Amino acid sequence: MESTLKRAWAEIDLDALAHNYHVLRARIGPASRFMGVVKADAYGHGAAQVSRTLEELGAEYLAVSNLDEARELRHAGVTCPILQLGVTPAEQTALALVNQITQAVWSEEAALAFSRDALRAGGRLRVHIKLDTGMSRLGFPCDEARFEDSLEAICRVCALQGLEAEGIFTHFAVSDEPDEDSRAYTLLQRRRFETMLQRLARRGCVFAIRHCSNSGAVAACPDYADDMCRPGLITYGAGRQAEELGLRPVMTLKAVVGAVNQLGPGVSVSYGRTFRTDRPSRLGVLPIGYADGLHRSLSNRWHVRTPCGMAPIVGRICMDMCMIDLTDLPQVKAGDEVEVYGLRNSVNAAAAAAGTIPYELTCAVSKRVPRVYRRDGREVARELLLRG
Ligand SMILES: *Cc1c(COP(=O)(O)O)cnc(C)c1O
């Protein structure tokens, strides 16, 4: 559906994406492939545009978290290899084959089912073995107690017909945390990963693509780059480490001031009456609310950037609107653009104020918020995800 804009929208700066890609590419070195992690609609940025841009820039691989996301990318014309990081039911194997999707394999049981269904479909499913070195999520367990069993199981999986074991990987739990304890844990995970690779190699199981680095590891441990890296968040210029590496925010969430109201002192504002004016006040009404992805937990805790300075969000954020205090910014008027977060109003600080992580804020930008893509300083595309 076409968007009429001028309510609330997310500007997606493809030049910033390119900048970040080049910085990260230089960081991981020429021997390591770049896997763009574009799950969850590219962290809310729009998977089709982001994926096409990353592919154009030279990313060798993309990663998603379910088969529908993978199919969306194929539908958008993406031709590079795509790894499905999450669980795919075995009965979807044929669909994965048709779409040329690489599948993560997290257990022998799953591998047997994929193998059987791939043979039935007359194909060979490309897979990456997933090792659980400390996330306790998906993967062959690599703790001491279960290490040998996993080693044997992976050797059997590698011999299965109908599967092509192209890669092997693991995922870090705290690689983005700078404290001693977290660094020691990341090192433990890395050791388990390396040990498993060595033991597998001795058994004749070698993999073309070994990978473990998420954003945290790309930033903190570039020597873990191996054959491929999987940076997600920092590619979008979000998170503390993105700031430290000089990466640029790709998304800027914007809204226009819809109306301006004059209120006397002692007047309550919005649901729950959590804010009361303590002086004659000028309040702006923004047509953006929690249904657009502006977390309600930011009520009375965040500020938007107006052309004349920061204005605090006052009172509860409603479903479709919120109020900002413009008393000290008399020049701001209806129709002015404000930045809710992004380039000059950090999403990292907004996430901290909301008691969450920047991932959750960008992912929350909802389908009724048009994405406006900019490249070379001008608008190149616009998307609205509403049915119509
Ligand atoms: C989401 C995800 C990533 C990317 O994580 P970031 O913290 O955004 O860099 C990498 N690998 C796996 C397995 C993931 O699920």
Side-chain angles (χ1 to χ4, degrees):
M1 185 170 148
E2 270 291 299
S3 163
T4 53
L5 264 196
K6 283 298 168 195
R7 187 185 79 90
W9 66 99
E11 280 185 11
I12 308 299
D13 181 352
L14 298 175
D15 297 325
L17 183 66
H19 168 81
N20 298 347
Y21 173 84
H22 292 304
V23 171
L24 294 171
R25 166 61 81 188
R27 191 167 182 79
I28 68 177
S32 185
R33 297 169 182 79
F34 187 104
M35 171 180 267
V37 181
V38 294
K39 62 193 180 190
D41 202 24
Y43 294 41
H45 295 67
Q49 289 284 345
V50 166
S51 299
R52 283 196 293 252
T53 304
L54 287 175
E55 192 177 27
E56 232 174 79
L57 287 165
E60 290 91 347
Y61 236 111
L62 295 170
V64 296
S65 64
N66 67 58
L67 208 49
D68 285 341
E69 290 181 340
R71 290 165 62 211
E72 180 191 17
L73 298 191
R74 290 290 181 240
H75 185 74
V78 168
T79 58
C80 78
I82 299 172
L83 175 61
Q84 206 295 72
L85 297 163
V87 170
T88 294
E91 60 267 25
Q92 303 280 310
T93 304
L95 198 56
L97 283 169
V98 167
N99 287 283
Q100 301 194 12
I101 307 306
T102 309
Q103 174 61 46
V105 167
W106 60 92
S107 71
E108 186 172 14
E109 196 189 352
L112 284 164
F114 285 134
S115 160
R116 186 196 59 216
D117 284 42
L119 288 173
R120 199 175 286 164
R124 197 154 177 241
L125 184 66
R126 190 180 291 165
V127 297
H128 286 206
I129 307 290
K130 189 162 196 177
L131 301 179
D132 178 5
T133 56
M135 261 297 274
S136 306
R137 197 170 66 176
L138 275 186
F140 291 85
C142 295
D143 57 313
E144 256 174 57
R146 291 173 294 176
F147 191 93
E148 298 298 327
D149 287 348
S150 290
L151 175 68
E152 296 304 324
I154 295 166
C155 289
R156 290 192 294 272
V157 167
C158 288
L160 286 175
Q161 293 197 332
L163 301 186
E164 178 201 340
E166 175 192 58
I168 188 162
F169 71 111
T170 193
H171 191 48
F172 292 122
V174 283
S175 58
D176 57 339
E177 314 247 0
D179 62 283
E180 259 324 290
D181 198 49
S182 299
R183 284 167 50 181
Y185 196 74
T186 301
L187 187 61
L188 170 74
Q189 287 197 263
R190 175 70 188 178
R191 292 246 166 84
R192 286 174 171 169
F193 183 56
E194 285 177 352
T195 308
M196 185 57 91
L197 292 181
Q198 284 160 7
R199 293 288 305 279
L200 284 166
R202 267 192 255 153
R203 297 284 295 273
C205 294
V206 288
F207 299 86
I209 311 183
R210 298 157 296 178
H211 49 113
C212 67
S213 292
N214 54 2
S215 291
V218 168
C221 329
D223 50 321
Y224 292 178
D226 298 331
D227 304 306
M228 185 159 77
C229 291
R230 310 188 304 270
L233 189 74
I234 45 175
T235 312
Y236 305 102
R240 171 186 55 85
Q241 292 166 315
E243 276 174 24
E244 288 166 8
L245 291 176
L247 303 178
R248 284 159 46 188
V250 175
M251 178 191 289
T252 299
L253 184 61
K254 292 187 169 178
V256 286
V257 178
V260 176
N261 297 319
Q262 300 283 347
L263 300 178
V267 176
S268 71
V269 175
S270 193
Y271 293 118
R273 307 181 68 198
T274 59
F275 179 84
R276 278 161 212 257
T277 56
D278 58 4
R279 55 181 174 166
S281 297
R282 236 180 125 244
L283 260 54
V285 181
L286 297 184
I288 183 169
Y290 61 78
D292 299 291
L294 181 59
H295 277 219
R296 187 166 169 279
S297 57
L298 288 168
S299 300
N300 295 308
R301 307 189 69 145
W302 188 237
H303 42 260
V304 302
R305 190 186 180 98
T306 75
C308 309
M310 294 292 189
I313 293 176
V314 293
R316 290 249 170 93
I317 293 169
C318 310
M319 183 185 289
D320 312 306
M321 291 177 242
C322 67
M323 274 60 86
I324 55 174
D325 191 345
L326 296 174
T327 314
D328 296 327
L329 302 168
Q331 310 91 326
V332 179
K333 55 190 187 308
D336 284 356
E337 275 185 31
V338 305
E339 189 176 313
V340 178
Y341 61 69
L343 188 58
R344 289 166 308 160
N345 195 14
S346 168
V347 69
N348 303 330
T356 186
I357 49 177
Y359 298 76
E360 200 183 1
L361 292 195
T362 65
C363 285
V365 175
S366 75
K367 62 179 190 280
R368 79 174 182 192
V369 177
R371 271 65 167 178
V372 178
Y373 297 91
R374 298 182 68 85
R375 172 180 260 168
D376 302 327
R378 59 184 187 83
E379 182 180 326
V380 291
R382 200 181 278 196
E383 275 174 4
L384 179 66
L385 303 175
L386 294 181
R387 299 170 200 96

Short mmCIF file of all heavy atoms in Angstrom, two decimals, residues 323-376:
data_model
loop_
_atom_site.label_atom_id
_atom_site.label_comp_id
_atom_site.label_asym_id
_atom_site.label_seq_id
_atom_site.Cartn_x
_atom_site.Cartn_y
_atom_site.Cartn_z
N MET A 323 2.36 13.07 24.01
CA MET A 323 2.47 14.51 24.19
C MET A 323 3.90 14.89 24.57
O MET A 323 4.58 14.15 25.29
CB MET A 323 1.51 14.98 25.30
CG MET A 323 0.10 15.27 24.81
SD MET A 323 -0.74 13.87 24.07
CE MET A 323 -1.43 13.11 25.53
N ILE A 324 4.34 16.04 24.06
CA ILE A 324 5.66 16.54 24.41
C ILE A 324 5.52 17.96 24.96
O ILE A 324 4.62 18.71 24.55
CB ILE A 324 6.63 16.53 23.21
CG1 ILE A 324 6.05 17.30 22.02
CG2 ILE A 324 6.96 15.09 22.81
CD1 ILE A 324 7.03 17.45 20.85
N ASP A 325 6.40 18.30 25.87
CA ASP A 325 6.35 19.62 26.50
C ASP A 325 7.17 20.61 25.67
O ASP A 325 8.40 20.46 25.56
CB ASP A 325 6.89 19.52 27.93
CG ASP A 325 6.61 20.80 28.72
OD1 ASP A 325 6.25 21.84 28.08
OD2 ASP A 325 6.74 20.77 29.96
N LEU A 326 6.49 21.59 25.10
CA LEU A 326 7.16 22.58 24.25
C LEU A 326 7.22 23.95 24.92
O LEU A 326 7.54 24.95 24.27
CB LEU A 326 6.42 22.71 22.90
CG LEU A 326 6.42 21.44 22.03
CD1 LEU A 326 5.52 21.63 20.80
CD2 LEU A 326 7.84 21.10 21.59
N THR A 327 6.94 23.98 26.22
CA THR A 327 6.88 25.27 26.92
C THR A 327 8.19 26.07 26.75
O THR A 327 8.16 27.28 26.55
CB THR A 327 6.58 25.06 28.42
OG1 THR A 327 5.50 24.13 28.54
CG2 THR A 327 6.22 26.37 29.09
N ASP A 328 9.30 25.36 26.83
CA ASP A 328 10.59 26.05 26.72
C ASP A 328 11.09 26.16 25.28
O ASP A 328 12.22 26.59 25.03
CB ASP A 328 11.65 25.32 27.57
CG ASP A 328 11.31 25.37 29.05
OD1 ASP A 328 10.73 26.38 29.49
OD2 ASP A 328 11.60 24.38 29.76
N LEU A 329 10.27 25.70 24.34
CA LEU A 329 10.65 25.74 22.92
C LEU A 329 9.55 26.44 22.13
O LEU A 329 8.85 25.82 21.32
CB LEU A 329 10.87 24.31 22.39
CG LEU A 329 11.93 23.47 23.12
CD1 LEU A 329 11.84 22.01 22.69
CD2 LEU A 329 13.33 24.02 22.84
N PRO A 330 9.36 27.73 22.38
CA PRO A 330 8.19 28.42 21.82
C PRO A 330 8.18 28.47 20.29
O PRO A 330 7.12 28.66 19.70
CB PRO A 330 8.29 29.84 22.42
CG PRO A 330 9.71 29.98 22.85
CD PRO A 330 10.20 28.62 23.20
N GLN A 331 9.36 28.26 19.66
CA GLN A 331 9.38 28.34 18.19
C GLN A 331 8.83 27.09 17.52
O GLN A 331 8.50 27.12 16.33
CB GLN A 331 10.82 28.54 17.67
CG GLN A 331 11.60 29.66 18.34
CD GLN A 331 12.39 29.15 19.56
OE1 GLN A 331 11.96 28.24 20.28
NE2 GLN A 331 13.55 29.76 19.80
N VAL A 332 8.77 25.97 18.27
CA VAL A 332 8.30 24.72 17.64
C VAL A 332 6.80 24.81 17.40
O VAL A 332 6.03 25.21 18.29
CB VAL A 332 8.63 23.51 18.54
CG1 VAL A 332 8.12 22.23 17.89
CG2 VAL A 332 10.13 23.42 18.78
N LYS A 333 6.38 24.45 16.18
CA LYS A 333 4.97 24.60 15.82
C LYS A 333 4.45 23.35 15.12
O LYS A 333 5.24 22.46 14.74
CB LYS A 333 4.81 25.81 14.89
CG LYS A 333 5.69 25.73 13.67
CD LYS A 333 5.72 27.02 12.89
CE LYS A 333 6.48 26.84 11.58
NZ LYS A 333 7.83 26.24 11.75
N ALA A 334 3.14 23.27 14.99
CA ALA A 334 2.52 22.14 14.29
C ALA A 334 3.14 22.01 12.90
O ALA A 334 3.37 23.01 12.22
CB ALA A 334 1.02 22.35 14.19
N GLY A 335 3.42 20.78 12.52
CA GLY A 335 4.02 20.54 11.20
C GLY A 335 5.52 20.34 11.26
O GLY A 335 6.12 19.83 10.31
N ASP A 336 6.15 20.73 12.38
CA ASP A 336 7.60 20.54 12.50
C ASP A 336 7.93 19.05 12.68
O ASP A 336 7.19 18.31 13.31
CB ASP A 336 8.16 21.31 13.71
CG ASP A 336 8.26 22.80 13.44
OD1 ASP A 336 7.97 23.22 12.30
OD2 ASP A 336 8.63 23.54 14.38
N GLU A 337 9.06 18.66 12.12
CA GLU A 337 9.53 17.28 12.27
C GLU A 337 10.29 17.12 13.58
O GLU A 337 11.06 18.00 13.95
CB GLU A 337 10.52 16.94 11.14
CG GLU A 337 9.86 16.48 9.88
CD GLU A 337 10.90 16.05 8.84
OE1 GLU A 337 12.00 15.56 9.19
OE2 GLU A 337 10.58 16.23 7.66
N VAL A 338 10.08 15.99 14.23
CA VAL A 338 10.90 15.67 15.40
C VAL A 338 11.52 14.29 15.22
O VAL A 338 11.01 13.45 14.48
CB VAL A 338 10.08 15.71 16.72
CG1 VAL A 338 9.38 17.04 16.88
CG2 VAL A 338 9.08 14.56 16.79
N GLU A 339 12.66 14.11 15.90
CA GLU A 339 13.34 12.83 15.86
C GLU A 339 13.06 12.10 17.18
O GLU A 339 13.41 12.59 18.25
CB GLU A 339 14.84 13.10 15.68
CG GLU A 339 15.64 11.87 15.41
CD GLU A 339 17.11 12.19 15.14
OE1 GLU A 339 17.40 13.12 14.34
OE2 GLU A 339 17.96 11.52 15.73
N VAL A 340 12.41 10.94 17.07
CA VAL A 340 12.05 10.18 18.27
C VAL A 340 13.29 9.42 18.78
O VAL A 340 13.56 9.38 19.96
CB VAL A 340 10.89 9.22 17.98
CG1 VAL A 340 10.53 8.37 19.21
CG2 VAL A 340 9.66 10.01 17.51
N TYR A 341 14.00 8.81 17.85
CA TYR A 341 15.35 8.34 18.12
C TYR A 341 16.04 8.08 16.80
O TYR A 341 15.40 7.98 15.77
CB TYR A 341 15.39 7.11 19.04
CG TYR A 341 14.68 5.87 18.53
CD1 TYR A 341 15.17 5.16 17.44
CD2 TYR A 341 13.53 5.40 19.16
CE1 TYR A 341 14.54 4.03 16.98
CE2 TYR A 341 12.89 4.26 18.69
CZ TYR A 341 13.40 3.58 17.61
OH TYR A 341 12.76 2.46 17.15
N GLY A 342 17.36 8.01 16.86
CA GLY A 342 18.11 7.77 15.62
C GLY A 342 19.38 8.59 15.60
O GLY A 342 20.08 8.69 16.60
N LEU A 343 19.61 9.25 14.46
CA LEU A 343 20.89 9.90 14.20
C LEU A 343 21.35 10.84 15.32
O LEU A 343 22.48 10.76 15.77
CB LEU A 343 20.80 10.66 12.87
CG LEU A 343 22.11 11.25 12.34
CD1 LEU A 343 23.15 10.16 12.15
CD2 LEU A 343 21.87 11.99 11.03
N ARG A 344 20.46 11.73 15.77
CA ARG A 344 20.89 12.71 16.76
C ARG A 344 20.15 12.59 18.09
O ARG A 344 20.08 13.53 18.87
CB ARG A 344 20.74 14.12 16.16
CG ARG A 344 21.79 14.38 15.05
CD ARG A 344 21.43 15.60 14.25
NE ARG A 344 20.05 15.50 13.79
CZ ARG A 344 19.32 16.54 13.40
NH1 ARG A 344 19.82 17.74 13.41
NH2 ARG A 344 18.08 16.35 12.99
N ASN A 345 19.56 11.42 18.30
CA ASN A 345 18.83 11.16 19.54
C ASN A 345 18.94 9.66 19.76
O ASN A 345 18.12 8.89 19.26
CB ASN A 345 17.37 11.62 19.36
CG ASN A 345 16.62 11.74 20.68
OD1 ASN A 345 17.22 11.75 21.76
ND2 ASN A 345 15.31 11.84 20.59
N SER A 346 19.97 9.26 20.47
CA SER A 346 20.45 7.87 20.44
C SER A 346 19.41 6.82 20.85
O SER A 346 18.81 6.91 21.93
CB SER A 346 21.67 7.74 21.36
OG SER A 346 21.96 6.38 21.57
N VAL A 347 19.25 5.82 20.00
CA VAL A 347 18.37 4.70 20.33
C VAL A 347 18.92 3.92 21.52
O VAL A 347 18.16 3.30 22.28
CB VAL A 347 18.16 3.78 19.11
CG1 VAL A 347 19.43 3.03 18.73
CG2 VAL A 347 17.03 2.77 19.36
N ASN A 348 20.23 3.98 21.73
CA ASN A 348 20.82 3.28 22.87
C ASN A 348 20.35 3.91 24.18
O ASN A 348 20.02 3.22 25.13
CB ASN A 348 22.35 3.32 22.80
CG ASN A 348 22.87 2.72 21.50
OD1 ASN A 348 22.24 1.83 20.94
ND2 ASN A 348 24.00 3.21 21.02
N ALA A 349 20.32 5.25 24.19
CA ALA A 349 19.85 5.95 25.38
C ALA A 349 18.35 5.72 25.57
O ALA A 349 17.88 5.53 26.69
CB ALA A 349 20.15 7.44 25.27
N ALA A 350 17.61 5.69 24.47
CA ALA A 350 16.16 5.43 24.56
C ALA A 350 15.92 4.04 25.14
O ALA A 350 15.05 3.85 25.99
CB ALA A 350 15.50 5.56 23.19
N ALA A 351 16.70 3.07 24.68
CA ALA A 351 16.55 1.69 25.17
C ALA A 351 16.86 1.64 26.66
O ALA A 351 16.14 1.00 27.44
CB ALA A 351 17.45 0.74 24.40
N ALA A 352 17.92 2.33 27.08
CA ALA A 352 18.27 2.34 28.50
C ALA A 352 17.13 2.96 29.30
O ALA A 352 16.74 2.43 30.35
CB ALA A 352 19.57 3.12 28.71
N ALA A 353 16.55 4.04 28.79
CA ALA A 353 15.44 4.69 29.50
C ALA A 353 14.23 3.76 29.57
O ALA A 353 13.47 3.80 30.54
CB ALA A 353 15.07 6.00 28.80
N ALA A 354 14.06 2.93 28.56
CA ALA A 354 12.91 2.01 28.54
C ALA A 354 13.20 0.73 29.32
O ALA A 354 12.33 -0.14 29.42
CB ALA A 354 12.55 1.67 27.09
N GLY A 355 14.42 0.59 29.81
CA GLY A 355 14.79 -0.62 30.53
C GLY A 355 14.94 -1.81 29.61
O GLY A 355 14.70 -2.95 29.99
N THR A 356 15.35 -1.56 28.36
CA THR A 356 15.53 -2.67 27.43
C THR A 356 16.77 -2.43 26.58
O THR A 356 17.63 -1.62 26.92
CB THR A 356 14.25 -2.88 26.58
OG1 THR A 356 14.42 -4.05 25.78
CG2 THR A 356 13.97 -1.69 25.68
N ILE A 357 16.87 -3.16 25.46
CA ILE A 357 18.04 -3.09 24.59
C ILE A 357 17.61 -2.48 23.25
O ILE A 357 16.44 -2.58 22.87
CB ILE A 357 18.64 -4.50 24.37
CG1 ILE A 357 17.54 -5.50 23.98
CG2 ILE A 357 19.35 -4.97 25.64
CD1 ILE A 357 18.05 -6.90 23.67
N PRO A 358 18.55 -1.86 22.55
CA PRO A 358 18.16 -1.21 21.29
C PRO A 358 17.51 -2.17 20.29
O PRO A 358 16.66 -1.76 19.50
CB PRO A 358 19.46 -0.62 20.75
CG PRO A 358 20.56 -1.19 21.58
CD PRO A 358 19.96 -1.61 22.87
N TYR A 359 17.90 -3.44 20.32
CA TYR A 359 17.28 -4.45 19.45
C TYR A 359 15.75 -4.37 19.52
O TYR A 359 15.06 -4.42 18.52
CB TYR A 359 17.63 -5.86 19.91
CG TYR A 359 19.07 -6.29 19.91
CD1 TYR A 359 19.96 -5.87 20.88
CD2 TYR A 359 19.52 -7.20 18.96
CE1 TYR A 359 21.27 -6.32 20.90
CE2 TYR A 359 20.82 -7.67 18.97
CZ TYR A 359 21.69 -7.22 19.95
OH TYR A 359 22.98 -7.67 19.96
N GLU A 360 15.28 -4.30 20.79
CA GLU A 360 13.83 -4.40 20.97
C GLU A 360 13.13 -3.15 20.43
O GLU A 360 12.01 -3.24 19.95
CB GLU A 360 13.51 -4.60 22.46
CG GLU A 360 12.13 -5.19 22.66
CD GLU A 360 11.71 -5.34 24.12
OE1 GLU A 360 12.49 -4.99 25.02
OE2 GLU A 360 10.60 -5.82 24.34
N LEU A 361 13.79 -2.00 20.50
CA LEU A 361 13.14 -0.78 20.02
C LEU A 361 13.06 -0.75 18.49
O LEU A 361 12.02 -0.41 17.93
CB LEU A 361 13.88 0.46 20.53
CG LEU A 361 13.80 0.75 22.03
CD1 LEU A 361 14.24 2.17 22.32
CD2 LEU A 361 12.41 0.51 22.60
N THR A 362 14.15 -1.11 17.81
CA THR A 362 14.07 -1.05 16.34
C THR A 362 13.14 -2.15 15.81
O THR A 362 12.40 -1.92 14.87
CB THR A 362 15.45 -1.15 15.67
OG1 THR A 362 16.03 -2.43 15.92
CG2 THR A 362 16.39 -0.06 16.15
N CYS A 363 13.17 -3.33 16.44
CA CYS A 363 12.28 -4.41 16.01
C CYS A 363 10.82 -4.07 16.24
O CYS A 363 9.95 -4.60 15.57
CB CYS A 363 12.57 -5.71 16.77
SG CYS A 363 14.05 -6.55 16.24
N ALA A 364 10.56 -3.18 17.20
CA ALA A 364 9.17 -2.89 17.57
C ALA A 364 8.50 -1.92 16.61
O ALA A 364 7.27 -1.80 16.61
CB ALA A 364 9.14 -2.30 18.98
N VAL A 365 9.28 -1.22 15.77
CA VAL A 365 8.67 -0.26 14.84
C VAL A 365 7.69 -1.04 13.95
O VAL A 365 8.06 -1.98 13.27
CB VAL A 365 9.74 0.46 14.00
CG1 VAL A 365 9.10 1.35 12.95
CG2 VAL A 365 10.65 1.27 14.92
N SER A 366 6.43 -0.65 14.01
CA SER A 366 5.38 -1.56 13.54
C SER A 366 5.08 -1.36 12.06
O SER A 366 5.61 -0.48 11.39
CB SER A 366 4.12 -1.37 14.37
OG SER A 366 3.48 -0.17 14.01
N LYS A 367 4.18 -2.21 11.58
CA LYS A 367 3.93 -2.25 10.14
C LYS A 367 3.22 -1.01 9.62
O LYS A 367 3.23 -0.77 8.43
CB LYS A 367 3.16 -3.52 9.77
CG LYS A 367 1.78 -3.65 10.39
CD LYS A 367 1.14 -4.94 9.91
CE LYS A 367 -0.32 -5.05 10.26
NZ LYS A 367 -0.57 -5.47 11.64
N ARG A 368 2.60 -0.24 10.49
CA ARG A 368 1.93 0.96 9.96
C ARG A 368 2.88 2.17 9.86
O ARG A 368 2.47 3.25 9.45
CB ARG A 368 0.71 1.29 10.80
CG ARG A 368 0.97 1.98 12.10
CD ARG A 368 -0.34 2.39 12.75
NE ARG A 368 -0.08 3.10 13.99
CZ ARG A 368 -1.01 3.37 14.89
NH1 ARG A 368 -2.24 2.98 14.70
NH2 ARG A 368 -0.70 4.04 15.98
N VAL A 369 4.13 1.95 10.25
CA VAL A 369 5.13 3.02 10.11
C VAL A 369 5.86 2.84 8.78
O VAL A 369 6.58 1.86 8.60
CB VAL A 369 6.15 2.96 11.27
CG1 VAL A 369 7.23 4.01 11.10
CG2 VAL A 369 5.44 3.12 12.61
N PRO A 370 5.66 3.75 7.85
CA PRO A 370 6.35 3.59 6.57
C PRO A 370 7.85 3.68 6.74
O PRO A 370 8.35 4.44 7.58
CB PRO A 370 5.85 4.77 5.71
CG PRO A 370 4.77 5.41 6.49
CD PRO A 370 4.85 4.98 7.90
N ARG A 371 8.57 2.87 5.97
CA ARG A 371 10.03 2.97 5.92
C ARG A 371 10.37 3.79 4.68
O ARG A 371 9.91 3.47 3.57
CB ARG A 371 10.68 1.60 5.80
CG ARG A 371 10.99 0.91 7.12
CD ARG A 371 9.77 0.57 7.92
NE ARG A 371 10.06 -0.35 9.03
CZ ARG A 371 9.15 -0.77 9.90
NH1 ARG A 371 7.90 -0.34 9.83
NH2 ARG A 371 9.48 -1.60 10.87
N VAL A 372 11.18 4.81 4.89
CA VAL A 372 11.61 5.67 3.79
C VAL A 372 13.10 5.46 3.61
O VAL A 372 13.88 5.74 4.51
CB VAL A 372 11.30 7.15 4.09
CG1 VAL A 372 11.80 8.04 2.97
CG2 VAL A 372 9.82 7.34 4.33
N TYR A 373 13.47 4.93 2.45
CA TYR A 373 14.88 4.58 2.23
C TYR A 373 15.58 5.73 1.54
O TYR A 373 15.07 6.28 0.56
CB TYR A 373 14.96 3.30 1.39
CG TYR A 373 14.35 2.12 2.11
CD1 TYR A 373 13.00 1.81 1.95
CD2 TYR A 373 15.10 1.36 3.00
CE1 TYR A 373 12.41 0.77 2.64
CE2 TYR A 373 14.53 0.31 3.70
CZ TYR A 373 13.19 0.02 3.52
OH TYR A 373 12.61 -1.01 4.21
N ARG A 374 16.74 6.09 2.07
CA ARG A 374 17.52 7.18 1.50
C ARG A 374 18.90 6.69 1.09
O ARG A 374 19.51 5.88 1.77
CB ARG A 374 17.66 8.33 2.51
CG ARG A 374 16.32 8.93 2.91
CD ARG A 374 16.52 10.09 3.89
NE ARG A 374 17.16 11.23 3.24
CZ ARG A 374 16.52 12.16 2.54
NH1 ARG A 374 15.21 12.10 2.42
NH2 ARG A 374 17.17 13.14 2.00
N ARG A 375 19.34 7.18 -0.04
CA ARG A 375 20.66 6.82 -0.55
C ARG A 375 21.20 8.04 -1.29
O ARG A 375 20.43 8.72 -1.96
CB ARG A 375 20.52 5.62 -1.49
CG ARG A 375 21.79 5.27 -2.23
CD ARG A 375 21.54 4.08 -3.13
NE ARG A 375 22.03 2.87 -2.50
CZ ARG A 375 21.76 1.65 -2.91
NH1 ARG A 375 20.97 1.43 -3.91
NH2 ARG A 375 22.30 0.62 -2.32
N ASP A 376 22.50 8.26 -1.17
CA ASP A 376 23.11 9.45 -1.77
C ASP A 376 22.32 10.70 -1.40
O ASP A 376 22.13 11.61 -2.21
CB ASP A 376 23.19 9.33 -3.29
CG ASP A 376 23.98 8.10 -3.72
OD1 ASP A 376 24.94 7.73 -2.99
OD2 ASP A 376 23.64 7.50 -4.75
#
